[in-house]
Amino acid sequence: MKSKSALKYTCVAKCSTTKARVSNIELPHFTAETPMFMPVGTQGTMKGLTTKQLEELECQVILGNTYHLGQELLDEVGGLHKFMKWERGLLTDSGGFQMVSLLHLAEITEEGVQFENPFDKSLMLLTPEESISLQNSIGADIMMQLDDVVSSLTTGPRLEEAMHRSIRWLDRCIKAHKKPDTQNLFAIIQGGLEPELRKHCIKEMVARDLPGYAIGGLSGGEEKDQFWRIVTLCTDYLPDDKPRYCMGVGYAEDLVVCSALGVDMYDCVFPTRTARFGNALLVTGSMNLKNARYANDFRPIDPECPCLTCKHYTRSYLHTIATKETVGCHLLSIHNIAFQMQLMKRLRQSIVEDRFPEFLRDFMYKRYKKAGKYPQWIVNALGSVNVELTQFEAPK
């Protein structure tokens, strides 16, 4: 079964040691460079940021959630790009994640999943066809299939049922897709932590020849040593000439490790959500500016960060407003998104210059210098792609 594509994928550079690669993904609205992180704007907005600010922060693609957006309004205004004044890439989730996050409100059958309507609290049935219809109205560059999502900790018959149903629902999504010339439908690989289920799902979904593929069903509480092994298995079996998207990943160490394992795309609410709790992101970890230790600290969050927040405001000022003013969340969100964008930019450059292993060692040393040792899962993951972190010492 062949599917049309409104996407052009070009590999620009490959790491000579790991599975990392830099690519250009030409989308209808924007050409994105990968590996890339996509911030999440659930209801047509990024909490605390304008679309103009997102452009200034060099965001390439942002994510919206189908479950929270209404079809009639978007049909009337001509899609979400116009509605939110965003001229770059847009990816929409299918609404399937709410099967897990809102499980107490959902009933799953072969027909679809029944939710509580977010607008009027009535019951609504989200089918693969309805999900695609909504996403066609939204007009996203990349649409995700509706899949049967289960917790990453699920085992047994329910896990296998969800994997097979996701394949069946993919076929219904493909059939329902009305705009393949202007919107790209991505499949979502399911199968939990079971390698054979993952392989079967990949084989079936790759046979549909879609524009791209996502690794779903992770980042749900599983052990990190299980997480990376499923990621690298999927990238081993997914096509080399298509984008690979690991859903729900946003921690800096996860972005770096998964890029070494061959992933191209990521999304997560983490940078803006953690900003609302007063946390600023750094290579060394998270800085909680609500802490009294920053009351008289007149340095920027990060002297090397080019963002507006670090250029104009001190830790002391941010501490003062972090718990009292919404502008504190705004300024920290700017910094946190800037941190993610700059991290991925440096990561891409190191791959292009074929010094990615050095980048990995330098990043991990700075990340875990205070702890004095590397997490074993990271040692194992990077060791699998020929980067050793056996001794804790400063990179030469």
Side-chain angles (χ1 to χ4, degrees), residues 134-309:
L134 285 165
Q135 293 185 79
N136 280 157
S137 296
I138 291 168
D141 299 83
I142 298 172
M143 314 186 308
M144 304 307 299
Q145 74 156 109
L146 184 67
D147 55 336
D148 187 351
V149 184
V150 294
S151 166
S152 60
L153 304 180
T154 300
T155 59
R158 178 67 183 102
L159 180 62
E160 186 169 357
E161 175 191 49
M163 184 273 292
H164 286 294
R165 179 174 285 147
S166 294
I167 297 169
R168 294 192 296 272
W169 281 4
L170 175 60
D171 286 336
R172 290 168 61 184
C173 288
I174 293 171
K175 186 176 181 180
H177 185 15
K178 302 303 183 184
K179 301 178 180 179
D181 293 327
T182 57
Q183 293 180 273
N184 298 284
L185 175 62
F186 278 27
I188 303 176
I189 307 301
Q190 291 292 349
L193 303 176
E194 296 294 333
E196 293 308 312
L197 292 183
R198 289 281 179 175
K199 291 177 186 178
H200 178 81
C201 192
I202 291 171
K203 180 180 178 181
E204 290 293 324
M205 289 183 168
V206 168
R208 274 69 175 171
D209 193 34
L210 291 160
Y213 299 90
I215 304 168
L218 295 176
S219 300
E222 72 277 3
E223 294 290 332
K224 299 295 281 191
D225 209 50
Q226 296 176 305
F227 163 80
W228 79 261
R229 293 178 193 277
I230 292 299
V231 170
T232 201
L233 179 147
C234 290
T235 59
D236 278 345
Y237 285 87
L238 286 169
D240 284 336
D241 61 346
K242 303 285 180 75
R244 305 163 183 159
Y245 165 28
C246 194
M247 304 178 77
V249 169
Y251 295 153
E253 60 270 29
D254 293 354
L255 298 173
V256 171
V257 169
C258 289
S259 294
L261 301 179
V263 175
D264 304 303
M265 302 164 59
Y266 311 92
D267 80 283
C268 194
V269 298
F270 174 65
T272 48
R273 176 174 288 172
T274 200
R276 297 199 291 277
F277 293 96
N279 294 312
L281 303 181
L282 296 164
V283 170
T284 53
S286 182
M287 174 188 291
N288 187 347
L289 287 158
K290 292 182 180 180
N291 194 306
R293 64 187 291 189
Y294 299 113
N296 296 306
D297 189 337
F298 299 102
R299 296 173 293 172
I301 295 170
D302 180 356
E304 298 181 5
C305 178
C307 79
L308 175 149
T309 303

Side-chain angles (χ1 to χ4, degrees), residues 19-215:
K19 295 196 286 182
R21 59 196 194 163
V22 169
S23 305
N24 289 334
I25 302 178
E26 187 177 333
L27 300 168
H29 289 88
F30 193 75
T31 297
E33 296 177 291
T34 71
M36 68 170 169
F37 176 78
M38 302 177 291
V40 177
T42 302
Q43 299 185 60
T45 180
M46 196 69 54
K47 285 184 170 61
L49 296 172
T50 66
T51 51
K52 179 64 175 176
Q53 288 173 319
L54 292 172
E55 289 180 10
E56 292 171 350
L57 292 170
E58 301 183 31
C59 294
Q60 304 183 83
V61 180
I62 61 174
L63 187 143
N65 192 287
T66 300
Y67 176 73
H68 293 92
L69 294 165
Q71 184 171 17
E72 294 80 7
L73 176 63
L74 292 172
D75 281 336
E76 184 176 336
V77 301
L80 188 56
H81 280 94
K82 290 183 179 179
F83 190 51
M84 66 184 295
K85 307 299 181 186
W86 175 249
E87 297 180 354
R88 299 189 177 187
L90 179 65
L91 182 150
T92 42
D93 190 6
S94 65
F97 179 71
Q98 278 68 35
M99 293 183 197
V100 176
S101 64
L102 300 178
L103 190 59
H104 63 289
L105 301 176
E107 180 182 352
I108 303 160
T109 66
E110 186 64 26
E111 185 178 3
V113 54
Q114 187 170 265
F115 290 113
E116 183 180 88
N117 190 304
F119 302 105
D120 60 14
K121 305 303 180 182
S122 63
L123 292 179
M124 60 177 285
L125 179 67
L126 183 64
T127 64
E129 293 79 11
E130 179 67 12
S131 174
I132 295 301
S133 178
L134 285 165
Q135 293 185 79
N136 280 157
S137 296
I138 291 168
D141 299 83
I142 298 172
M143 314 186 308
M144 304 307 299
Q145 74 156 109
L146 184 67
D147 55 336
D148 187 351
V149 184
V150 294
S151 166
S152 60
L153 304 180
T154 300
T155 59
R158 178 67 183 102
L159 180 62
E160 186 169 357
E161 175 191 49
M163 184 273 292
H164 286 294
R165 179 174 285 147
S166 294
I167 297 169
R168 294 192 296 272
W169 281 4
L170 175 60
D171 286 336
R172 290 168 61 184
C173 288
I174 293 171
K175 186 176 181 180
H177 185 15
K178 302 303 183 184
K179 301 178 180 179
D181 293 327
T182 57
Q183 293 180 273
N184 298 284
L185 175 62
F186 278 27
I188 303 176
I189 307 301
Q190 291 292 349
L193 303 176
E194 296 294 333
E196 293 308 312
L197 292 183
R198 289 281 179 175
K199 291 177 186 178
H200 178 81
C201 192
I202 291 171
K203 180 180 178 181
E204 290 293 324
M205 289 183 168
V206 168
R208 274 69 175 171
D209 193 34
L210 291 160
Y213 299 90
I215 304 168

